Amino acid sequence: MDQHIAESIGRPDLIRLDDRLVCLRFETMKVVSALAAVRHLLDTGVVRRGDTLLDSSSGIYAYALALSCHRYGLRCHIVGSATVDHTLRTQLSVLGATLEQMEPCSDLKLDQKRRVERIHEILAAHPEYHWMRQYHDDVHYLGYRAIADRIREATGTANGLTVVGGVGSGASTGALARYLREDAADPSDVALVGVQPYGSVTFGSEHVTDPEMIIAGIGSSIPFGNVSHELYDALHWVSFDTALAGSVDLLRRHAVFAGLSSGAAYLAARHERARSPHRTVLFIAPDTGHRYVDTVYARHREAAPIAHLAPREVTDRSELALPWSRMRWGRAAA
């Protein structure tokens, strides 16, 4: 029996959608990394009950950290982007977390820069606060070992496993690949495919602009320290419209109601399955679709049939182009 709701929320479902296509579906994935990171900090004496944990967030991590602090008797302070909506603000308040929300800004890079600057101002005034550094500290990898164990047990993967997922921080995809490879007889049997929005600096697509929007939760306009580029075998860059088509098809075909990055990962996973007829392909659906009802699902009639979509294969990032590109990364360094 779980001792706290955070433990239940962080436990994913493994759903076989089709032959060799598996969905790792979370209610809120970042609870996995936040809960394990906070527990580790307490166990090692870095923080104590009653201390304040601090971080910047566009939304989902704020909820995960607030739940983790509630679980372990810590205070939580969030510097949030303008994308933190009324529902989340209310939950954070009731959970006892404090939120400083940035003013609306059309420039994502400036928004992230302002949040980081505010973090440093708070730390200067309160050096006793602990900055969680979700985008830079490998402590956020820890929670995914148990997930990797479960994947290994459930899939069998006698002919190899390909993991596909959005890359925001490096925690989910990078950690899963690292732990799965550690225990594999042949590490090359576990392939890792990252999914990015256009405009993200993480894998070098900042020169391509998506006219709709950057997909929340994946990609970044500033470098992140815990992305291990050398773990990735291939990358997909997916536009908003293409991810919308994937999200709608995932719900229509498989009844999985998930976020925009899940739709992008689903499309990439289907493509990778077609490329490798003998491999099992697992994609990560990190959250539910509730916050995308108005921006994605209400537009379901606009969604292109996914049979009409395919990535453009490129060999250099200078060739990247909307709406969907794929490039072999080959476990190269940043």
Side-chain angles (χ1 to χ4, degrees), residues 263-287:
Y266 166 66
L267 283 184
R270 286 175 57 93
H271 179 80
E272 294 299 323
R273 183 184 62 161
R275 292 176 64 95
S276 304
H278 302 296
R279 298 180 67 84
T280 295
V281 181
L282 175 147
F283 72 94
I284 301 170
D287 61 353

Side-chain angles (χ1 to χ4, degrees), residues 214-230:
I214 192 166
I215 301 172
I218 62 174
S220 175
S221 63
I222 59 176
F224 287 167
N226 63 1
V227 177
S228 297
H229 293 71
E230 65 276 8

